[in-house]
């Protein structure tokens, strides 16, 4: 049998923000379709930078990052929005529009793509139902708990049916119960074949997930364990 092709591949990637030393130093890493990978390490070790290289918010100083064996930094700027539909992103601070309801926050991602009202009215309730918010479509963010706001963010990340979900400290502002619910949702999403990359410094979360763990230290991969 032939070797599986990585969905994301780092080939000797270094990222520097002068005059500081490299935040990432000679990173070589392969992430395969359907994997759940936890990226761990203390704050400031480069986890967020590594994730930004995947969705082309940053480009490598040296080396290449590939998505389905296509070099990401060679993608034309005008094609980046199309590329990014392959990757759903979830952040610690939710990034919701405060004057828009849960429905409107998720719908906005489709409106930008020029989707029809019929498509929006069909797909948005479906995705909010998946994350357990089918009864809170018309709630504003301030009417939702932190865990519920993060579920809206997750619904928005899922709306394009991406191949990869990137979650950068998604539970950093949540209580224990909400943290558990978000991690369970990510595991369920992964079970349907979506690749999930989770950056966290919470060892308890990583132990509970029990899947591949890549640890960063001093800009390098210190360990890579299944």
């Amino acid at each position: 049998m032939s070797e599986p092709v990585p969905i994301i591949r780092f080939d000797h990637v270094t990222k520097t923000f002068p005059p500081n030393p490299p935040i990432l130093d000679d990173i070589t890493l392969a992430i395969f379709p359907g994997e759940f990978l936890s990226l761990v390490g203390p704050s400031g070790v480069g986890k967020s930078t590594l994730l930004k290289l995947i969705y082309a918010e940053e480009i490598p100083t040296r080396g290449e990052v590939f998505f389905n064996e296509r070099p990401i930094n060679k993608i034309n700027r005008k094609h980046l929005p199309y590329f990014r539909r392959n990757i759903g992103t979830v952040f610690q601070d939710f990034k919701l529009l405060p004057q828009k309801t849960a429905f409107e926050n998720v719908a906005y991602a489709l409106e930008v793509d020029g989707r029809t009202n019929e498509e929006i009215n069909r797909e948005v309730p479906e995705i909010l139902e998946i994350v357990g918010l089918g009864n809170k479509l018309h709630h504003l963010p301030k009417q939702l708990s932190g865990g519920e706001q993060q579920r809206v963010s997750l619904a928005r990340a899922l709306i394009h049916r991406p191949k990869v979900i990137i979650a950068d400290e998604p539970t950093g502002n949540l209580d224990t119960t909400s943290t558990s619910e978000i991690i369970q949702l990510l595991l369920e999403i992964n079970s349907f074949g979506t690749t999930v990359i989770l950056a966290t410094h919470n060892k308890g979360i990583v132990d509970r997930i029990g899947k591949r763990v890549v640890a960063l230290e001093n800009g390098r991969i210190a360990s890579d364990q299944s």
Side-chain angles (χ1 to χ4, degrees):
M1 289 178 62
S2 59
E3 286 288 312
V5 176
I7 190 165
I8 295 161
R9 184 166 63 87
F10 284 70
D11 184 21
H12 296 287
V13 170
T14 294
K15 181 62 182 178
T16 307
F17 297 98
N20 299 311
I23 185 76
L24 297 172
D25 187 9
D26 197 30
I27 298 289
T28 293
L29 174 68
I31 303 169
F32 294 94
E35 271 202 294
F36 193 122
L37 183 144
S38 295
L39 185 65
V40 303
S43 296
V45 79
K47 299 189 299 295
S48 293
T49 300
L50 188 149
L51 298 181
K52 287 176 180 178
L53 289 167
I54 295 172
Y55 55 86
E57 187 167 321
E58 298 286 353
I59 60 171
T61 306
R62 289 193 300 277
E64 292 267 25
V65 183
F66 298 86
F67 188 91
N68 279 336
E69 292 303 292
R70 180 183 183 187
I72 293 172
N73 65 327
K74 300 285 200 312
I75 297 172
N76 189 297
R77 299 299 297 180
K78 70 179 181 181
H79 295 147
L80 275 180
Y82 303 100
F83 162 70
R84 286 176 175 150
R85 289 176 197 168
N86 293 296
I87 302 171
T89 50
V90 184
F91 301 96
Q92 181 173 332
D93 58 355
F94 314 144
K95 299 189 184 298
L96 298 179
L97 299 165
Q99 302 307 315
K100 289 185 179 289
T101 64
F103 179 97
E104 290 166 340
N105 264 283
V106 179
Y108 184 70
L110 296 180
E111 290 166 3
V112 169
D113 285 348
R115 303 285 284 277
T116 66
N117 286 337
E118 182 183 357
E119 289 173 311
I120 290 168
N121 289 329
R122 181 181 67 249
E123 293 184 26
V124 173
E126 283 179 3
I127 211 80
L128 284 167
E129 188 69 43
I130 287 171
V131 300
L133 290 176
N135 61 340
K136 297 194 174 180
L137 274 66
H138 304 299
H139 285 54
L140 293 168
K142 66 182 179 183
Q143 297 171 309
L144 301 171
S145 69
E148 288 169 336
Q149 290 182 61
Q150 190 59 291
R151 288 197 226 172
V152 177
S153 298
L154 193 49
R156 185 180 55 195
L158 288 168
I159 197 66
H160 290 303
R161 306 298 199 273
K163 294 182 174 69
V164 177
I165 289 286
I166 287 175
D168 191 359
E169 298 283 2
T171 63
N173 291 330
L174 303 182
D175 60 29
T176 303
T177 301
S178 296
T179 292
S180 181
E181 290 170 350
I182 292 298
I183 295 304
Q184 188 57 41
L185 267 172
L186 289 172
L187 284 166
E188 288 175 15
I189 291 162
N190 175 243
S191 75
F192 292 118
T194 305
T195 306
V196 176
I197 305 168
L198 168 70
T200 183
H201 60 265
N202 187 323
K203 185 177 184 300
I205 289 175
V206 174
D207 290 345
R208 178 190 160 189
I209 292 168
K211 295 181 183 286
R212 184 181 175 193
V213 181
V214 171
L216 292 180
E217 189 176 304
N218 299 322
R220 289 177 173 260
I221 293 176
S223 66
D224 184 349
Q225 300 176 325
S226 297

